[in-house]
Amino acid sequence: MYQLEDESAHLDEMPLMMSEEGFENEESDYHTLPRARIMQRKRGLEWFVCDGWKFLCTSCCGWLINICRRKKELKARTVWLGCPEKCEEKHPRNSIKNQKYNVFTFIPGVLYEQFKFFLNLYFLVISCSQFVPALKIGYLYTYWAPLGFVLAVTMTREAIDEFRRFQRDKEVNSQLYSKLTVRGKVQVKSSDIQVGDLIIVEKNQRIPSDMVFLRTSEKAGSCFIRTDQLDGETDWKLKVAVSCTQQLPALGDLFSISAYVYAQKPQMDIHSFEGTFTREDSDPPIHESLSIENTLWASTIVASGTVIGVVIYTGKETRSVMNTSNPKNKVGLLDLELNRLTKALFLALVALSIVMVTLQGFVGPWYRNLFRFLLLFSYIIPISLRVNLDMGKAVYGWMMMKDENIPGTVVRTSTIPEELGRLVYLLTDKTGTLTQNEMIFKRLHLGTVSYGADTMDEIQSHVRDSYSQMQSQAGGNNTGSTPLRKAQSSAPKVRKSVSSRIHEAVKAIVLCHNVTPVYESRAGVTEETEFAEADQDFSDENRTYQASSPDEVALVQWTESVGLTLVSRDLTSMQLKTPSGQVLSFCILQLFPFTSESKRMGVIVRDESTAEITFYMKGADVAMSPIVQYNDWLEEECGNMAREGLRTLVVAKKALTEEQYQDFESRYTQAKLSMHDRSLKVAAVVESLEREMELLCLTGVEDQLQADVRPTLEMLRNAGIKIWMLTGDKLETATCIAKSSHLVSRTQDIHIFRQVTSRGEAHLELNAFRRKHDCALVISGDSLEVCLKYYEHEFVELACQCPAVVCCRCSPTQKARIVTLLQQHTGRRTCAIGDGGNDVSMIQAADCGIGIEGKEGKQASLAADFSITQFRHIGRLLMVHGRNSYKRSAALGQFVMHRGLIISTMQAVFSSVFYFASVPLYQGFLMVGYATIYTMFPVFSLVLDQDVKPEMAMLYPELYKDLTKGRSLSFKTFLIWVLISIYQGGILMYGALVLFESEFVHVVAISFTALILTELLMVALTVRTWHWLMVVAEFLSLGCYVSSLAFLNEYFDVAFITTVTFLWKVSAITVVSCLPLYVLKYLRRKLSPPSYCKLAS
């Protein structure tokens, strides 16, 4: 047995087991892994000192909070139709509330959000100290005006957002609906709807609460709803009315019956529901089982007909509200870095004050002097830093949305645009993100013969022939069919002709699905007559297909192209049109929908003309291969098709006798009525049918790549970004999309991680993988779970060295877990991009989430920080906008700090010359003006600066690699700015002191004017590419300063300002403070230019 000596011991030092015997030890062995040892901390005095008090505080607080807001326990319920007063429980109001605050919590809430930042809290303390007379320095407004401005801006922004939320909520809550009562219809507000009400919802109206579907105006007894606001899927869902209430002659009869719905307790899962409908006053009582297809969830939209439902859940208990989570507030890396720098500045400020007091010699009340020095130098940490950065972020967001090269881009989180310039890992979904989610039928395989795109016309002629033969035999068809089927099952199988096998396969594909043909209204024709007309002629030009998966639509469209068309479908029947125009009717006896667990769907139909009952089934190869009869070709052909990048489905059938079906139906109905373990019982009954099915064919459908996916991935790879593809699809499809999209380059090897189930297997497989170099990794979700359970650190370390990683069969929670693992283990910035509801958790977990508005709906793009319309736009978003946002914010942040440091240096020099007196150098308006009107515009104009032209950044993505190292804002660059500030502050102050003649007033005038000029020149020095607005800002600020001199007579001697001596002294000091820096910058550009300069030249 091996032992790990040390936490950092890698897998290299572990002996490679040639057999697995070394691993067959008991569970307790796992605790010898190093991580487990570290976790067992000594719970002694040390624990109490370090963590104990924290633990006690949090547990006390938690206990108090729990007492204050005890959560009501959710229970199952019995709801009587139209009788809200019969409810035993009190249910929540049906109002939607998306507001963060109410009238009382708004101000405390906003203040808390602001002052939890070190920077703002520091300013609050400084400003409050001015109320103490002994500490008062200058005027109150010099401290409170900037702080008040920051708070006012923030509060106004929050208040506007909050008011918009309030208006949206009010609009939704006050929508009017028709409620059915004994006295007829009554208009009722959405927020006044109660559990038990009967609500009528018209076409295109939002469903106000969770309801059970009782009646519809559609004669089929079913309707379509749009669920894109709930689960992000754009297709329509078919919902079925409770048959007992649908069959009542008139609407008012809902009150003449005594009936109730028993519903399970409210829960989050939007794809399942268990309940029963009971009518008591009939003899015997009628019981109907209710499932997800009888429900209408809140926030979905009725797409056809008018529906009537009974309300079962309201307000906070509806599925849509239970599924809204509050996403975490994302904080950018740049903000964290700046926060660290402000803390460093704070330490410098304290140190400087202590030095001053020490040089004073601790005379008198020295602690009061210490505090006064802290106040004097408080400008070291500039309050305008946050304002400038927040305004900058808003500008970057506006630029992204206005960029014509990436139309339709929306910035939803305006606080993290700089993150786009720091990404190292990109985690992407496959379907709909890299591919278009538009399916095209490519291949049909019958075992002995395969048809591709170029031989589809053969299938067409086979289908036409077989139907013309059937019509010619139509006379003897009814008598001969049943004995023939019996003979077939008992006698040895006769080899069927290719033509009949094709006919069987096409018929199975056109019958086994969940697709509904929808006929669009023509202009100028009213809906009612149009529908009646559509029923008769089934005209081809305005028919579209609706289904929950694009694969199914592709299959049905293909059968239409070979001559067998699905023309109508309701709950109980389907009509097909043959090539000759004859309509065949089939009765749907049972439908088993597709689920992610079963990976298959089935249907039992009866042919109206021959009364034959057939069970058709289609699904993924892994699910179908144990069900179908033995064959030697299925597995191999599935592999071949997957290598071509096709999604495969296996189609099979089984003929049933009437007795077999009746037996099945009674067991199935029984299982559906049970309230405990319903899904397990139903699955068991269906599985009794799924045995020895006849394999008909294998279909291959291609999902086309999005536009420009290959060059975009190539660009991202050159930029040093590692791309991981996380998909729910199967291993073969994922691998071939990875190859066709050039995620894995042609020359690279692919290491497919074996299926592992135990710790021993995982160890051997990881060792095998470690010997490979520069090869992409493909791993399935199950194997990944095992590796993470035993060898998390080692696995992530190995995977991070791969040029590309593909994880297939991933669940949404697994996707999010991989993102958090990468963040924890590498400490690098991650970006997740996806387009469906299943990508939301991954998008919210990543440092930067990008959503694509795709076929799967808007859910991902609404949850994301940035929303784009096509995958290829990500290239420009990162290379151009990410780069600019990061570079500009870094320059802006450091410049604002420089602005504070330079004035603090001058104050320090001034105090030290005047016997360490804690007297302010500039008072009142000069300080406020300096931080705002005199220097604000030029400094802020740095947000227009760019070091590289967008075309250049796109052409040389390698430039992006530099950004991830974070060199634009680091302690090194910060120290350079500190040195510049100390140099300039010293020169300005000493210069003024040396040159001043008689009066102290002149020192202030000379040094302040030189200071303003220096700041304007420094902006010009920092700029890399001039923009006309920058020039305007420079002259505007200078103009403001010159014109304000006339009013500042309490600070300046106006007579002195207008003399020539004043002008030359100011010019001399300014030149000395700025010229050396210009010289240094020029030399640096010449001797060691940055990489982008070499390209630009």
Side-chain angles (χ1 to χ4, degrees):
M1 189 196 129
Y2 70 91
Q3 193 95 34
L4 274 176
E5 292 309 321
D6 170 28
E7 164 75 290
S8 63
H10 291 311
L11 271 174
D12 299 315
E13 288 140 35
M14 297 165 82
L16 183 62
M17 293 284 183
M18 297 330 267
S19 74
E20 291 187 23
E21 289 151 24
F23 291 96
E24 305 300 327
N25 11 25
E26 22 347 325
E27 284 289 315
S28 64
D29 218 36
Y30 298 144
H31 298 303
T32 58
L33 282 175
R35 203 161 291 109
R37 275 195 236 141
I38 287 172
M39 292 312 287
Q40 295 176 345
R41 286 262 171 86
K42 287 179 232 155
R43 282 211 161 196
L45 182 66
E46 170 202 1
W47 172 81
F48 186 80
V49 174
C50 301
D51 303 315
W53 64 274
K54 267 191 203 166
F55 174 73
L56 286 173
C57 292
T58 46
S59 49
C60 291
C61 294
W63 177 73
L64 278 169
I65 287 169
N66 282 339
I67 285 181
C68 295
R69 36 173 240 229
R70 279 258 165 84
K71 272 211 170 164
K72 203 182 85 183
E73 194 186 345
L74 300 173
K75 291 179 187 163
R77 58 194 61 185
T78 302
V79 180
W80 290 84
L81 268 60
C83 306
E85 62 282 354
K86 279 197 190 176
C87 290
E88 306 97 25
E89 295 276 320
K90 195 174 182 304
H91 299 297
R93 276 193 72 208
N94 190 44
S95 58
I96 288 178
K97 187 170 185 294
N98 288 313
Q99 290 156 259
K100 284 191 199 169
Y101 311 103
N102 59 31
V103 181
F104 303 107
T105 59
F106 178 72
I107 291 178
V110 175
L111 290 179
Y112 170 72
E113 284 298 317
Q114 280 309 299
F115 292 122
K116 68 180 185 191
F117 283 107
F118 171 74
L119 199 65
N120 295 358
L121 184 64
Y122 164 79
F123 280 112
L124 183 67
V125 173
I126 291 290
S127 304
C128 290
S129 70
Q130 289 303 289
F131 290 117
V132 180
L135 303 175
K136 192 165 183 264
I137 290 181
Y139 299 99
L140 270 180
Y141 71 81
T142 53
Y143 290 92
W144 280 99
L147 187 65
F149 177 70
V150 174
L151 289 179
V153 168
T154 314
M155 283 199 169
T156 313
R157 197 175 61 196
E158 273 296 326
I160 291 169
D161 285 353
E162 195 66 2
F163 184 65
R164 280 188 187 143
R165 283 188 213 111
F166 166 73
Q167 277 187 314
R168 275 202 300 268
D169 291 350
K170 189 177 167 190
E171 193 181 322
V172 172
N173 289 331
S174 53
Q175 271 178 347
L176 291 175
Y177 289 89
S178 300
K179 171 172 145 182
L180 209 57
T181 62
V182 187
R183 294 183 298 284
K185 293 182 186 175
V186 182
Q187 291 287 308
V188 59
K189 276 187 185 176
S190 169
S191 55
D192 296 337
I193 290 173
Q194 295 170 309
V195 171
D197 281 345
L198 297 176
I199 302 293
I200 302 171
V201 188
E202 305 288 337
K203 184 178 175 181
N204 289 331
Q205 220 181 353
R206 188 186 74 88
I207 293 172
S209 58
D210 289 357
M211 309 200 291
V212 165
F213 183 15
L214 299 178
R215 275 180 81 87
T216 171
S217 57
E218 304 278 289
K219 56 181 181 292
S222 64
C223 78
F224 280 111
I225 62 166
R226 294 204 298 272
T227 61
D228 50 344
Q229 295 304 313
L230 187 64
D231 58 8
E233 293 179 15
T234 48
D235 52 274
W236 296 2
K237 305 281 188 302
L238 188 71
K239 296 290 177 180
V240 186
V242 175
S243 61
C244 171
T245 47
Q246 177 66 23
Q247 285 158 9
L248 293 172
L251 244 181
D253 296 342
L254 285 170
F255 284 99
S256 63
I257 63 168
S258 166
Y260 64 85
V261 169
Y262 177 75
Q264 63 182 155
K265 68 175 189 193
Q267 54 179 21
M268 286 178 70
D269 186 3
I270 54 175
H271 300 298
S272 74
F273 173 74
E274 289 177 7
T276 52
F277 174 88
T278 308
R279 180 176 173 183
E280 284 189 329
D281 57 353
S282 64
D283 191 40
I286 299 172
H287 296 287
E288 263 189 68
S289 87
L290 301 177
S291 68
I292 185 70
E293 60 182 16
N294 307 112
T295 58
L296 303 167
W297 295 147
S299 298
T300 56
I301 310 259
V302 179
S304 65
T306 304
V307 303
I308 293 136
V310 59
V311 176
I312 52 171
Y313 307 124
T314 51
K316 286 188 286 219
E317 295 177 342
T318 58
R319 294 291 204 265
S320 64
V321 175
M322 290 179 87
N323 276 288
T324 13
S325 60
N326 294 329
K328 62 170 188 178
N329 275 339
K330 296 187 181 180
V331 181
L333 188 58
L334 185 103
D335 295 324
L336 295 173
E337 288 169 344
L338 282 169
N339 208 24
R340 277 204 296 273
L341 293 180
T342 46
K343 285 175 186 168
L345 284 174
F346 179 69
L347 292 176
L349 160 72
V350 173
L352 183 60
S353 308
I354 292 173
V355 167
M356 284 296 190
V357 174
T358 313
L359 291 174
Q360 248 185 354
F362 292 108
V363 284
W366 61 269
Y367 45 87
R368 198 183 74 189
N369 289 339
L370 176 68
F371 207 89
R372 282 178 69 94
F373 275 123
L374 282 175
L375 291 170
L376 278 178
F377 300 139
S378 64
Y379 281 96
I380 284 189
I381 304 177
I383 191 163
S384 50
L385 184 61
R386 281 209 74 80
V387 188
N388 275 307
L389 285 176
D390 286 351
M391 282 160 52
K393 288 171 200 275
V395 171
Y396 311 143
W398 182 80
M399 286 173 174
M400 287 176 204
M401 296 203 245
K402 284 280 173 278
D403 189 341
E404 286 157 12
N405 296 299
I406 46 173
T409 303
V410 182
V411 178
R412 299 191 194 279
T413 307
S414 58
T415 52
I416 53 168
E418 300 91 5
E419 291 294 270
L420 292 170
R422 310 287 296 275
L423 302 175
V424 180
Y425 289 97
L426 177 74
L427 300 102
T428 167
D429 175 41
K430 179 181 74 70
T431 314
T433 304
L434 297 178
T435 61
Q436 290 180 10
N437 209 4
E438 255 175 38
M439 309 296 174
I440 293 167
F441 190 92
K442 284 287 187 186
R443 177 145 314 162
L444 180 74
H445 204 295
L446 300 171
T448 51
V449 57
S450 166
Y451 294 94
D454 44 354
T455 48
M456 291 297 176
D457 48 346
E458 286 183 36
I459 297 181
Q460 207 169 345
S461 62
H462 279 304
V463 172
R464 200 181 301 117
D465 296 349
S466 59
Y467 273 107
S468 56
Q469 277 176 5
M470 280 171 71
Q471 266 180 307
S472 62
Q473 299 169 2
N477 198 8
N478 285 1
T479 52
S481 69
T482 326
L484 180 114
R485 202 178 69 234
K486 284 198 175 130
Q488 205 183 42
S489 54
S490 54
K493 290 242 165 79
V494 184
R495 198 84 189 256
K496 295 183 186 174
S497 70
V498 169
S499 186
S500 70
R501 280 166 62 206
I502 287 178
H503 170 227
E504 276 296 333
V506 174
K507 187 169 151 190
I509 292 171
V510 81
L511 287 173
C512 181
H513 52 68
N514 218 334
V515 180
T516 308
V518 178
Y519 293 89
E520 296 296 322
S521 313
R522 295 193 203 91
V525 184
T526 63
E527 276 182 33
E528 312 305 321
T529 57
E530 211 294 306
F531 265 108
E533 187 181 45
D535 283 345
Q536 285 118 37
D537 71 345
F538 297 134
S539 54
D540 287 349
E541 59 274 1
N542 59 354
R543 182 193 310 113
T544 54
Y545 293 111
Q546 281 295 344
S548 54
S549 124
D551 300 50
E552 293 204 312
V553 176
L555 292 172
V556 175
Q557 281 172 339
W558 172 76
T559 61
E560 181 179 0
S561 72
V562 295
L564 197 54
T565 310
L566 174 71
V567 284
S568 88
R569 153 114 188 219
D570 56 34
L571 292 178
T572 53
S573 67
M574 244 187 280
Q575 269 91 36
L576 310 180
K577 193 163 72 175
T578 63
S580 59
Q582 180 193 2
V583 175
L584 306 174
S585 288
F586 290 86
C587 177
I588 302 173
L589 301 175
Q590 296 290 350
L591 185 76
F592 314 111
F594 179 89
T595 64
S596 50
E597 285 79 40
S598 68
K599 298 188 177 60
R600 54 185 180 267
M601 63 126 349
V603 61
I604 301 180
V605 294
R606 180 191 281 128
D607 188 335
E608 304 261 320
S609 58
T610 64
E612 287 180 14
I613 298 177
T614 317
F615 172 37
Y616 288 107
M617 185 156 234
K618 72 164 191 269
D621 51 317
V622 279
M624 295 293 288
S625 51
I627 295 174
V628 297
Q629 294 164 348
Y630 174 77
N631 61 75
D632 54 4
W633 59 274
L634 181 62
E635 198 176 335
E636 184 186 349
E637 286 307 325
C638 280
N640 290 343
M641 282 196 193
R643 277 189 283 281
E644 292 175 45
L646 304 180
R647 298 158 75 100
T648 53
L649 282 172
V650 179
V651 186
K653 78 165 197 178
K654 184 181 193 175
L656 302 176
T657 61
E658 188 67 44
E659 299 79 56
Q660 279 175 322
Y661 174 67
Q662 291 303 336
D663 168 52
F664 166 77
E665 189 184 29
S666 63
R667 287 184 297 131
Y668 187 63
T669 315
Q670 196 88 40
K672 273 169 70 176
L673 278 170
S674 66
M675 279 305 287
H676 298 290
D677 299 331
R678 180 190 291 182
S679 49
L680 288 171
K681 289 176 184 168
V682 169
V685 175
V686 177
E687 272 171 28
S688 66
L689 273 189
E690 300 171 347
R691 295 198 182 119
E692 287 295 299
M693 296 186 74
E694 179 191 342
L695 174 59
L696 295 175
C697 65
L698 176 65
T699 62
V701 174
E702 183 187 40
D703 192 355
Q704 293 183 305
L705 286 178
Q706 289 262 13
D708 291 341
V709 160
R710 289 178 189 135
T712 306
L713 287 176
E714 187 76 24
M715 177 196 291
L716 295 174
R717 251 207 320 276
N718 291 341
I721 295 174
K722 291 189 175 170
I723 303 161
W724 289 36
M725 182 165 91
L726 313 179
T727 171
D729 224 326
K730 54 179 172 291
L731 193 128
E732 299 78 13
T733 321
T735 314
C736 66
I737 292 287
K739 282 179 184 163
S740 63
S741 65
H742 293 188
L743 173 72
V744 178
S745 62
R746 288 273 176 244
T747 52
Q748 270 167 1
D749 283 341
I750 292 185
H751 177 83
I752 295 182
F753 206 88
R754 267 190 327 121
Q755 278 289 338
V756 295
T757 48
S758 68
R759 178 185 177 193
E761 291 176 6
H763 180 205
L764 292 174
E765 190 60 22
L766 279 170
N767 271 351
F769 172 48
R770 204 179 63 254
R771 292 196 207 91
K772 303 256 182 109
H773 287 293
D774 191 46
C775 76
L777 171 67
V778 178
I779 185 169
S780 71
D782 316 335
S783 305
L784 184 71
E785 276 297 309
V786 178
C787 289
L788 294 180
K789 186 175 172 187
Y790 301 122
Y791 297 117
E792 181 184 290
H793 183 75
E794 291 81 358
F795 173 77
V796 176
E797 199 172 348
L798 285 174
C800 289
Q801 291 163 8
C802 295
V805 178
V806 177
C807 301
C808 49
R809 291 270 177 241
C810 271
S811 65
T813 42
Q814 254 180 340
K815 291 183 177 185
R817 190 175 166 205
I818 293 169
V819 173
T820 31
L821 271 178
L822 278 177
Q823 288 168 338
Q824 288 162 3
H825 280 272
T826 62
R828 299 299 192 130
R829 302 319 263 181
T830 56
C831 170
I833 178 168
D835 72 318
N838 59 338
D839 303 314
V840 170
S841 45
M842 161 173 91
I843 284 172
Q844 288 183 342
D847 296 302
C848 170
I850 299 179
I852 295 181
E853 277 190 30
K855 285 269 182 312
E856 293 181 35
K858 283 191 169 185
Q859 206 179 0
S861 78
L862 291 172
D865 307 308
F866 303 92
S867 156
I868 54 180
T869 52
Q870 288 182 351
F871 182 79
R872 61 188 178 145
H873 291 169
I874 195 175
R876 188 174 176 89
L877 196 66
L878 301 189
M879 300 302 128
V880 177
H881 293 288
R883 177 187 190 84
N884 286 345
S885 304
Y886 170 55
K887 287 268 189 180
R888 288 164 176 171
S889 279
L892 184 64
Q894 295 185 103
F895 204 93
V896 173
M897 285 181 178
H898 156 78
R899 194 169 68 180
L901 274 165
I902 193 170
I903 205 158
S904 297
T905 309
M906 291 172 75
Q907 175 71 55
V909 172
F910 174 76
S911 288
S912 52
V913 170
F914 286 94
Y915 312 107
F916 308 107
S918 49
V919 178
L921 168 60
Y922 301 129
Q923 296 209 345
F925 185 75
L926 289 187
M927 286 310 290
V928 178
Y930 172 67
T932 53
I933 189 164
Y934 298 153
T935 59
M936 188 170 68
F937 304 115
V939 172
F940 189 67
S941 71
L942 288 173
V943 301
L944 300 168
D945 190 19
Q946 59 179 30
D947 55 353
V948 182
K949 285 199 168 68
E951 301 74 41
M952 201 63 92
M954 295 287 282
L955 190 59
Y956 298 106
E958 290 79 4
L959 288 171
Y960 188 88
K961 282 184 192 169
D962 279 354
L963 304 182
T964 53
K965 294 170 186 160
R967 288 178 179 163
S968 301
L969 176 71
S970 61
F971 270 105
K972 182 186 162 189
T973 57
F974 173 64
L975 281 173
I976 291 172
W977 275 106
V978 170
L979 292 173
I980 290 174
S981 311
I982 292 173
Y983 166 75
Q984 290 188 326
I987 291 289
L988 292 173
M989 201 62 239
Y990 274 118
L993 288 170
V994 168
L995 298 175
F996 95 103
E997 286 168 16
S998 51
E999 289 181 66
F1000 173 61
V1001 177
H1002 298 171
V1003 178
V1004 175
I1006 294 174
S1007 64
F1008 193 75
T1009 311
L1011 175 64
I1012 299 290
L1013 290 175
T1014 300
E1015 280 298 296
L1016 298 183
L1017 287 170
M1018 281 304 289
V1019 172
L1021 177 71
T1022 313
V1023 169
R1024 288 169 287 233
T1025 313
W1026 282 91
H1027 186 284
W1028 63 271
L1029 277 172
M1030 293 177 175
V1031 184
V1032 171
E1034 291 268 343
F1035 285 110
L1036 180 69
S1037 292
L1038 193 60
C1040 282
Y1041 179 63
V1042 171
S1043 55
S1044 70
L1045 289 177
F1047 308 105
L1048 297 176
N1049 16 9
E1050 55 175 311
Y1051 306 110
F1052 297 158
D1053 176 0
V1054 183
F1056 173 67
I1057 288 172
T1058 47
T1059 60
V1060 181
T1061 24
F1062 172 75
L1063 291 176
W1064 80 255
K1065 284 179 182 177
V1066 168
S1067 310
I1069 295 172
T1070 311
V1071 167
V1072 175
S1073 78
C1074 290
L1075 192 64
L1077 295 173
Y1078 272 87
V1079 174
L1080 282 172
K1081 183 183 176 181
Y1082 176 76
L1083 290 174
R1084 189 165 159 224
R1085 271 285 167 93
K1086 277 280 172 267
L1087 301 173
S1088 69
S1091 49
Y1092 58 83
C1093 293
K1094 298 171 189 169
L1095 293 175
S1097 59

